[in-house]
């Protein structure tokens, strides 16, 4: 309904100037909504549209939810390959010629209507904090979520280096110190990091059949085990025959950092990111840096390590078990 949609847009336009603001990591500023820092044009707008019921969830919807830099690209590839394992031949797989972000796009205010018409199960990637999702998505309709969390020190380093690649050439780079201060204060897109993780962690304890909580480090250590767990959770468990035929191993191999990052499409291709004020051409290669656990050791000072560990331990008891 156009009138209702216009009403929501008006509500959104009126809301933005009333919210606390901070400098962003790239060019955009961030606004704080219900405790979370968001880029107004995409995450916040989508959240407001969802609040007013403009996104119609389906019970078969599969959400991949991540804090930025926690492993979104990898999990997109793994989930896409798992769900579509009977639709494509591994030698002619779309992931070999199309970047993971094109195979499995982000839910964005500008593609709500396209998403309406996708065949089930719809694969929807989001970074939104759990508490900002409407009840229709999280409870009534009962969509499934795969959440991926990663060590905050690795997330921070990955985000800092990524943001500097994404900043316009005319902008000076964001210093490690400045980025660190912002991250520690919770000021980054979809931050505070710790509250994001905690929201999904608590929800996964309450609804283990709806929210699968994975850790990047665990997927790294045992990708096959996690892929099998994920397939089961998504209602498409691997049969013994599939396992014997090596289907799981093939998915893991195809989606590995070495394989994906060396594909021509991911070396030279790009995706048009629509999460900012204007379309941004983003090279697929920026989503593949090192793909390792513990690279923070090469970037952070002893004080920085101590401060992030301190925040993690302070945040609360549950989360210190998580991270
Ligand atoms: P690093 O910067 O630590 O290398 P996101 O996809 O959420 O934006 O996260 C990007 C991070 O995931 C980057 O981390 C990137 O290198 C890593 N990554 C991308 N593809 C991966 C893969 N197939 N396996 C493991 N890590 C991957």
């Amino acid at each position: 309904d156009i009138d209702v949609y216009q009403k929501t847009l008006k509500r959104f336009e009126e809301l933005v100037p009333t919210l606390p603001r901070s400098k962003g990591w790239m060019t955009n500023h961030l606004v704080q909504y219900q405790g979370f820092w968001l880029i107004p044009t995409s995450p916040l707008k989508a959240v407001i549209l969802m609040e007013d019921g403009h996104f119609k969830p389906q019970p078969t919807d599969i959400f991949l939810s991540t804090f930025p830099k926690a492993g979104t690209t990898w999990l997109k590839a793994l989930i896409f390959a798992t769900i579509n394992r009977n639709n494509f031949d591994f030698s002619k797989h779309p992931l070999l010629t199309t970047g993971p972000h094109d195979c499995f796009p982000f839910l964005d205010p500008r593609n709500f209507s396209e998403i309406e018409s996708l065949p089930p199960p719809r694969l929807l990637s989001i970074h939104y904090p759990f508490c900002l999702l409407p009840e229709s998505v999280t409870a009534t309709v009962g969509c499934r979520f795969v959440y991926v969390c990663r060590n905050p020190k690795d997330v921070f380093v990955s985000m800092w280096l990524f943001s500097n690649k994404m900043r316009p050439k005319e902008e000076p780079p964001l210093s490690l110190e400045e980025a660190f201060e912002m991250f520690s204060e919770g000021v980054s897109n979809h931050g505070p990091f710790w509250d994001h993780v905690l929201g999904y962690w608590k929800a996964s304890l309450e609804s283990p059949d709806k929210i699968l909580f994975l850790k990047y480090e665990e997927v790294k250590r045992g990708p096959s085990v996690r892929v099998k767990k994920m397939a089961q959770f998504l209602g498409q468990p691997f049969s013994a025959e599939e396992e014997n035929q090596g289907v799981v191993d093939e998915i893991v191999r195809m989606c590995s950092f070495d394989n994906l990052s060396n594909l021509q499409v991911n070396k030279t291709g790009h995706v048009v990111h629509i999460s900012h004020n204007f379309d941004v051409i983003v090279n697929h290669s920026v989503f593949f840096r090192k793909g390792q656990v513990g690279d923070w050791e090469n970037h952070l000072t002893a004080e920085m390590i101590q401060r992030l560990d301190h925040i993690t331990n302070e945040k609360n008891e549950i989360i210190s078990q998580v991270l």
Side-chain angles (χ1 to χ4, degrees):
D1 184 326
I2 303 251
D3 277 356
V4 183
Y5 192 81
Q6 289 303 335
K7 232 178 173 172
T8 300
L9 287 187
K10 186 155 179 278
R11 181 164 90 83
F12 166 72
E13 301 292 343
E14 286 171 359
L15 172 72
V16 174
T18 68
L19 299 173
R21 271 178 175 242
S22 171
K23 190 180 157 184
W25 287 52
M26 297 172 225
T27 50
N28 314 62
H29 62 270
L30 298 167
V31 291
Q32 195 183 33
Y33 182 64
Q34 297 191 9
F36 285 91
W37 290 98
L38 304 169
I39 295 175
T41 41
S42 172
L44 180 61
K45 193 170 180 180
V47 162
I48 301 298
L49 286 167
M50 285 172 120
E51 267 180 16
D52 286 1
H54 296 288
F55 169 77
K56 308 267 181 303
Q58 294 174 7
T60 45
D61 285 345
I62 295 171
F63 284 89
L64 167 63
S65 187
T66 51
F67 194 81
K69 303 298 126 197
T72 319
T73 312
W74 189 16
L75 266 293
K76 279 186 177 191
L78 288 172
I79 296 174
F80 181 83
T82 300
I83 294 295
N84 290 300
R85 63 188 187 266
N86 296 320
N87 299 339
F88 307 114
D89 196 326
F90 284 114
S91 61
K92 291 192 277 248
H93 202 279
L95 276 169
L96 301 177
T97 47
T98 313
H101 293 281
D102 283 333
C103 289
F104 187 156
F106 283 101
L107 179 63
D108 182 274
R110 291 199 252 171
N111 65 15
F112 275 14
S113 56
E114 283 165 42
I115 279 168
E116 287 278 307
S117 55
L118 290 179
R122 304 185 299 184
L123 301 181
L124 308 166
S125 180
I126 58 170
H127 292 315
Y128 316 139
F130 189 76
C131 67
L132 296 191
L133 295 168
E135 228 178 62
S136 59
V137 173
T138 56
T140 348
V141 172
C143 308
R144 262 172 295 196
F145 289 81
V146 175
Y147 183 76
V148 188
C149 126
R150 189 181 185 191
N151 182 295
K153 296 184 288 255
D154 277 333
V155 167
F156 166 66
V157 167
S158 184
M159 186 179 292
W160 170 58
L161 294 168
F162 175 83
S163 301
N164 275 335
K165 285 182 203 154
M166 297 281 287
R167 280 164 80 89
K169 295 281 164 286
E170 58 278 11
E171 294 278 330
L174 188 63
S175 72
L176 177 67
E177 291 69 25
E178 192 178 356
F180 183 81
E181 200 51 42
M182 289 167 87
F183 187 81
S184 306
E185 294 294 326
V187 185
S188 68
N189 198 14
H190 302 276
F193 167 85
W194 295 269
D195 296 355
H196 198 278
V197 176
L198 195 52
Y200 280 95
W201 173 246
K202 282 183 177 158
S204 76
L205 295 180
E206 280 161 22
S207 317
D209 54 327
K210 293 294 171 204
I211 301 167
L212 178 67
F213 191 97
L214 295 176
K215 296 183 194 174
Y216 179 94
E217 295 77 12
E218 285 175 354
V219 186
K220 236 3 228 188
R221 224 177 299 135
S224 306
V225 180
R226 302 298 152 190
V227 167
K228 282 190 264 182
K229 192 172 170 187
M230 195 165 65
Q232 175 128 33
F233 167 80
L234 295 174
Q236 296 195 18
F238 289 95
S239 65
E241 198 188 346
E242 282 181 305
E243 285 195 37
N244 291 337
Q245 286 169 348
V247 178
V248 180
D249 298 337
E250 192 55 40
I251 290 174
V252 167
R253 196 203 58 77
M254 182 172 68
C255 301
S256 69
F257 182 86
D258 282 350
N259 189 57
L260 289 183
S261 62
N262 283 306
L263 294 172
Q264 201 57 37
V265 58
N266 292 326
K267 281 175 152 176
T268 57
H270 67 262
V271 61
V272 180
H273 242 245
I274 51 178
S275 53
H276 307 283
N277 270 337
F278 42 88
D279 289 351
V280 186
I281 306 279
V282 184
N283 294 326
H284 287 308
S285 61
V286 297
F287 294 102
F288 302 93
R289 191 182 64 90
K290 279 194 169 175
Q292 287 171 6
V293 173
D295 187 44
W296 53 265
E297 287 189 13
N298 300 316
H299 297 276
L300 303 184
T301 64
E303 290 74 43
M304 288 173 169
I305 294 166
Q306 205 182 14
R307 180 148 169 219
L308 286 188
D309 286 347
H310 181 71
I311 300 171
T312 302
N313 293 332
E314 277 261 293
K315 210 63 193 185
N316 79 35
E317 285 224 314
I318 303 172
I319 205 163
S320 58
Q321 292 163 17
V322 177
L323 294 166

XYZ file of all heavy atoms in Angstrom, residues 67-74 150 158 216 220 255-257 260 287-292, ligand 1:
215
model
N 27.813 -9.936 12.392
C 28.396 -8.614 12.587
C 29.358 -8.443 11.411
O 30.026 -9.407 11.018
C 29.165 -8.571 13.920
C 29.493 -7.178 14.347
C 28.550 -6.406 14.984
C 30.743 -6.640 14.089
C 28.841 -5.101 15.369
C 31.041 -5.343 14.465
C 30.088 -4.568 15.105
N 29.426 -7.236 10.806
C 30.318 -7.092 9.652
C 31.737 -7.577 9.985
O 32.260 -7.298 11.063
C 30.303 -5.579 9.383
C 29.022 -5.093 9.984
C 28.719 -5.990 11.142
N 32.308 -8.327 9.076
C 33.685 -8.876 9.163
C 33.795 -10.135 10.011
O 34.889 -10.589 10.335
C 34.709 -7.826 9.676
C 34.752 -6.575 8.854
C 35.178 -6.868 7.446
C 34.187 -6.343 6.464
N 34.334 -6.943 5.131
N 32.651 -10.709 10.366
C 32.695 -11.931 11.173
C 32.746 -13.192 10.314
O 32.857 -14.291 10.843
C 31.497 -11.976 12.105
N 32.641 -13.033 8.994
C 32.687 -14.221 8.128
C 31.478 -14.339 7.199
O 31.136 -15.436 6.748
N 30.852 -13.202 6.913
C 29.655 -13.166 6.080
C 29.884 -13.830 4.713
O 29.100 -14.681 4.281
C 29.236 -11.691 5.844
O 29.404 -10.963 7.054
C 27.812 -11.587 5.344
N 30.953 -13.424 4.045
C 31.227 -13.899 2.686
C 31.358 -15.424 2.662
O 30.783 -16.098 1.797
C 32.550 -13.269 2.183
O 32.500 -11.866 2.457
C 32.771 -13.507 0.713
N 32.097 -15.944 3.605
C 32.334 -17.386 3.687
C 31.032 -18.143 3.927
O 30.709 -19.124 3.259
C 33.331 -17.654 4.816
C 33.851 -19.034 4.926
C 33.795 -20.020 3.972
C 34.510 -19.605 6.061
N 34.397 -21.147 4.447
C 34.849 -20.928 5.730
C 34.865 -19.110 7.314
C 35.516 -21.766 6.619
C 35.532 -19.942 8.197
C 35.849 -21.260 7.850
N 32.653 -13.888 15.721
C 34.100 -14.041 15.553
C 34.798 -13.269 16.664
O 34.241 -12.290 17.191
C 34.487 -13.457 14.175
C 35.908 -13.741 13.760
C 36.225 -13.124 12.397
N 37.559 -13.504 11.957
C 38.195 -12.959 10.926
N 37.592 -12.012 10.205
N 39.387 -13.357 10.598
N 40.073 -6.640 10.941
C 39.500 -6.844 9.608
C 38.688 -5.615 9.184
O 38.785 -5.138 8.053
C 38.622 -8.102 9.630
O 38.136 -8.391 8.353
N 33.220 -18.336 13.879
C 34.150 -18.370 12.759
C 35.290 -19.342 13.059
O 35.664 -20.167 12.223
C 34.699 -16.959 12.541
C 35.700 -16.792 11.417
C 35.282 -16.406 10.149
C 37.065 -16.987 11.644
C 36.209 -16.233 9.123
C 37.989 -16.819 10.625
C 37.561 -16.438 9.365
O 38.473 -16.273 8.350
N 36.392 -22.708 11.042
C 37.758 -22.821 10.530
C 38.380 -24.159 10.961
O 39.017 -24.843 10.167
C 38.570 -21.708 11.164
C 39.362 -20.663 10.434
C 39.425 -20.511 9.041
C 40.859 -20.353 8.564
N 40.924 -20.003 7.164
N 34.228 -23.624 -1.097
C 34.039 -22.362 -0.364
C 35.261 -21.951 0.450
O 35.203 -20.955 1.175
C 32.829 -22.482 0.567
S 31.311 -22.851 -0.318
N 36.348 -22.704 0.359
C 37.523 -22.373 1.164
C 38.100 -21.030 0.729
O 37.908 -20.597 -0.414
C 38.582 -23.465 1.029
O 39.109 -23.436 -0.286
N 38.816 -20.414 1.647
C 39.429 -19.114 1.345
C 40.344 -19.226 0.124
O 40.276 -18.400 -0.788
C 40.220 -18.613 2.562
C 40.839 -17.264 2.343
C 40.121 -16.108 2.594
C 42.135 -17.152 1.844
C 40.678 -14.855 2.362
C 42.700 -15.913 1.620
C 41.969 -14.756 1.872
N 38.071 -19.724 -3.163
C 37.264 -18.551 -3.556
C 38.144 -17.350 -3.888
O 37.913 -16.650 -4.886
C 36.281 -18.168 -2.446
C 35.091 -19.095 -2.191
C 34.204 -18.507 -1.102
C 34.273 -19.335 -3.454
N 36.741 -8.493 0.102
C 36.149 -9.417 1.081
C 37.065 -10.605 1.381
O 36.734 -11.467 2.186
C 34.785 -9.912 0.587
C 33.774 -8.817 0.523
C 33.424 -8.226 -0.688
C 33.194 -8.323 1.688
C 32.506 -7.193 -0.741
C 32.274 -7.285 1.646
C 31.931 -6.722 0.420
N 38.184 -10.654 0.677
C 39.146 -11.734 0.902
C 40.483 -11.106 1.263
O 41.137 -10.512 0.419
C 39.300 -12.587 -0.362
C 37.999 -13.192 -0.818
C 37.205 -12.546 -1.757
C 37.562 -14.397 -0.286
C 35.992 -13.094 -2.165
C 36.349 -14.956 -0.687
C 35.560 -14.297 -1.631
N 40.869 -11.183 2.500
C 42.145 -10.602 2.901
C 43.079 -11.740 3.290
O 43.872 -12.190 2.487
C 41.933 -9.594 4.041
C 43.162 -8.740 4.349
C 42.888 -7.803 5.521
N 42.634 -8.510 6.755
C 43.566 -8.862 7.633
N 44.830 -8.554 7.408
N 43.256 -9.511 8.746
N 42.953 -12.238 4.530
C 43.810 -13.354 4.964
C 42.982 -14.584 5.333
O 43.436 -15.702 5.179
C 44.624 -12.942 6.189
C 45.856 -12.122 5.884
C 46.727 -12.083 7.124
C 48.089 -11.512 6.834
N 48.868 -11.371 8.083
N 41.808 -14.327 5.904
C 40.949 -15.446 6.304
C 41.573 -16.329 7.364
O 41.434 -17.550 7.315
N 42.257 -15.715 8.320
C 42.925 -16.501 9.356
C 42.426 -16.136 10.749
O 41.869 -15.060 10.955
C 44.436 -16.254 9.303
C 45.071 -16.922 8.104
C 46.509 -16.506 7.914
O 47.084 -15.791 8.739
N 47.089 -16.959 6.820
P 40.258 -10.991 7.420
O 40.197 -9.516 7.138
O 40.633 -11.295 8.833
O 41.095 -11.738 6.446
P 32.902 -10.495 5.979
O 32.706 -11.506 4.904
O 31.959 -10.647 7.124
O 32.986 -9.123 5.442
O 34.317 -10.833 6.651
C 35.495 -10.735 5.927
C 36.530 -11.596 6.615
O 36.304 -12.979 6.301
C 37.934 -11.281 6.125
O 38.773 -11.572 7.255
C 38.093 -12.291 5.003
O 39.417 -12.538 4.632
C 37.432 -13.509 5.624
N 36.995 -14.498 4.623
C 36.425 -14.275 3.416
N 36.194 -15.424 2.781
C 36.611 -16.426 3.600
C 36.647 -17.855 3.474
N 36.212 -18.462 2.384
N 37.150 -18.544 4.513
C 37.600 -17.928 5.629
N 37.603 -16.584 5.796
C 37.106 -15.838 4.789
